Amino acid sequence: MKKIIIALMMLASFQSVSSAQENKIVISNQWARPILVAGRPGGAYFKIENKGNTADKLMSVTSTASPRLEIHEHTMKDGVMKMSQVDYIEIGPGENVELKPGGYHIMIFDTATQYKDGDQIDLTLHFEKAGAITKTVNVTSTAPTSEN
Amino acid sequence: MTNQQFLAHNAKRIILILILLLAAIGLWSVYLLKDKTPTASENSRALIGGPFTLTNHLNQPVTEKDFLGKYMLVYFGYTYCPDICPTDLQIMADALNMLAPDVLKQITPVFVSVDPERDTPEVMAEYIKFFHKNLIGLTGTVEQVDAIKSAYKVYAAKSDDNPGYLVDHTAYTYFMDKNGKLLKHFNHAEAPEKMAAVITSLVE
């Protein structure tokens, strides 16, 4: 019995630690584009706020909707849009980074289904320090207006 | 006749010659100083556009002649493009939806693929229906697409050789007049309100 209580306490304290960590990284405004044609990749976007005192990095993103997700960014040079994969996105303490069309975005390849406007997918964001944060993401063809 | 006498005798004539000379120099310099360099918009008007042969999303062959007589709003992109192209095509669709019906009916919106190897007419048909009912999808052979890219000064190149390659490309929307000449171009992520206002102001 004692052991169980200790185990429960440990579990509770572990959970509170993990949620404290999570609270330092806040994800909002998440949305994903529909897959318009089967086999074509999708895009997803969200805002990352770092409310902690130390920098953190978004290292990778996973989803049950796809075996392969990548973090990409756009660079515009001489009117040419170039898209390239990045290793991570760093968010400084007290800073926020918004993934949005024409900037950083998540590429979702080889999706299991051709999800459409109004559907939902899950995204799990893996941070170097804050760990994994899972979000339900609405699929919509136009960017939702910012909440703030 | 001494020099002095000569001068006195011909004073009026010399002054007249000098005045004429000065006037000529003046006119000449005005002519020289006048900037005859064409403006960027005049330049691009002359450079962008031209003949093409492609296949539309209904699998019918088309040329530039099929688009004469109406204004053409044209965007170059590819259906594998997950971010930039849907953004710009949605802006185009939003702008079209803001136009008055009598303006809208004078415009043919066109999406030209710069990725003909993957964008078959069938894929184009499936893709364009998400944006606007009037949108026409054009694709073709690699050579045909290269030809229209060259005519419209569009740069597009595969970023690598993987099957899931991405294409780096210019992201302009061109507004062509009824004779297929460039009237105006819009940059990536133009506000649809502005695009609609400019189109309305340019349509006769």
Side-chain angles (χ1 to χ4, degrees):
Chain A
M1 187 64 188
K2 214 173 187 178
K3 269 185 189 163
I4 292 170
I5 290 169
I6 290 167
L8 279 173
M9 280 172 72
M10 277 175 70
L11 197 65
S13 69
F14 174 74
Q15 270 184 338
S16 71
V17 165
S18 97
S19 70
Q21 289 273 27
E22 271 182 27
N23 286 342
K24 289 181 181 171
I25 294 288
V26 178
I27 307 299
S28 58
N29 296 353
Q30 66 272 20
W31 65 287
R33 287 187 191 281
I35 304 288
L36 300 180
V37 176
R40 296 311 191 241
Y45 313 87
F46 43 82
K47 185 178 175 182
I48 311 166
E49 286 174 85
N50 183 355
K51 299 192 170 180
N53 301 321
T54 52
D56 205 345
K57 287 175 182 171
L58 175 65
M59 303 303 293
S60 65
V61 180
T62 54
S63 171
T64 58
S66 153
R68 182 161 71 99
L69 292 89
E70 295 175 1
I71 308 170
H72 281 243
E73 74 171 333
H74 272 111
T75 43
M76 170 81 103
K77 200 180 171 228
D78 302 329
V80 178
M81 272 297 178
K82 198 174 168 58
M83 193 154 81
S84 46
Q85 192 176 359
V86 296
D87 292 333
Y88 58 83
I89 298 174
E90 183 160 348
I91 315 100
E95 290 181 358
N96 60 65
V97 174
E98 190 157 11
L99 285 75
K100 58 186 176 191
Y104 282 121
H105 56 283
I106 304 302
M107 290 272 288
I108 308 173
F109 293 97
D110 310 323
T111 56
T113 59
Q114 192 182 339
Y115 53 78
K116 293 183 164 47
D117 230 321
D119 289 347
Q120 287 187 328
I121 58 166
D122 64 276
L123 286 184
T124 301
L125 284 49
H126 302 270
F127 288 89
E128 190 180 53
K129 295 190 180 116
I133 300 172
T134 299
K135 285 280 174 183
T136 301
V137 179
N138 290 325
V139 177
T140 163
S141 39
T142 46
T145 43
S146 190
E147 283 158 26
N148 40 15
Chain B
M1 206 194 283
T2 62
N3 270 349
Q4 213 138 31
Q5 281 171 318
F6 176 85
L7 281 173
H9 189 78
N10 294 293
K12 273 188 183 163
R13 199 172 291 173
I14 290 166
I15 289 167
L16 191 67
I17 288 168
L18 279 176
I19 289 171
L20 285 173
L21 205 64
L22 280 172
I25 291 169
L27 281 173
W28 187 46
S29 54
V30 165
Y31 175 76
L32 278 185
L33 287 172
K34 193 180 162 214
D35 186 7
K36 289 194 301 296
T37 322
T39 63
S41 119
E42 281 167 349
N43 249 336
S44 50
R45 211 167 288 175
L47 286 171
I48 289 173
F52 58 80
T53 303
L54 292 166
T55 302
N56 71 14
H57 63 279
L58 303 171
N59 226 341
Q60 298 158 332
V62 292
T63 73
E64 79 287 354
K65 294 190 180 70
D66 296 304
F67 296 88
L68 298 180
K70 278 177 107 179
Y71 295 86
M72 183 165 73
L73 191 61
V74 55
Y75 184 76
F76 291 81
Y78 64 115
T79 70
Y80 205 85
C81 170
D83 184 54
I84 295 297
C85 306
T87 300
D88 284 335
L89 287 171
Q90 191 60 51
I91 287 168
M92 184 195 268
D94 290 347
L96 291 170
N97 288 333
M98 289 172 192
L99 295 175
D102 61 318
V103 175
L104 180 64
K105 71 178 182 203
Q106 295 193 62
I107 293 164
T108 310
V110 179
F111 175 51
V112 183
S113 173
V114 293
D115 185 18
E117 290 163 69
R118 289 185 297 199
D119 289 341
T120 61
E122 294 71 30
V123 168
M124 293 298 274
E126 202 180 335
Y127 189 79
I128 58 169
K129 68 181 183 201
F130 290 98
F131 297 98
H132 197 274
K133 62 176 173 33
N134 295 358
L135 189 60
I136 289 177
L138 298 181
T139 185
T141 63
V142 172
E143 293 73 25
Q144 287 172 334
V145 168
D146 280 346
I148 192 170
K149 275 162 61 184
S150 158
Y152 279 76
K153 302 289 175 286
V154 169
Y155 169 83
K158 287 183 194 178
S159 60
D160 57 60
D161 288 327
N162 295 325
Y165 62 87
L166 301 170
V167 183
D168 301 334
H169 64 105
T170 43
Y172 298 118
T173 302
Y174 298 107
F175 188 51
M176 315 298 287
D177 72 12
K178 292 176 180 175
N179 303 312
K181 296 266 187 294
L182 182 74
L183 279 173
K184 171 88 186 159
H185 80 267
F186 301 97
N187 290 329
H188 165 64
E190 182 66 87
E193 295 79 8
K194 193 184 164 201
M195 189 183 278
V198 169
I199 289 171
T200 303
S201 74
L202 290 171
V203 167
E204 286 160 7

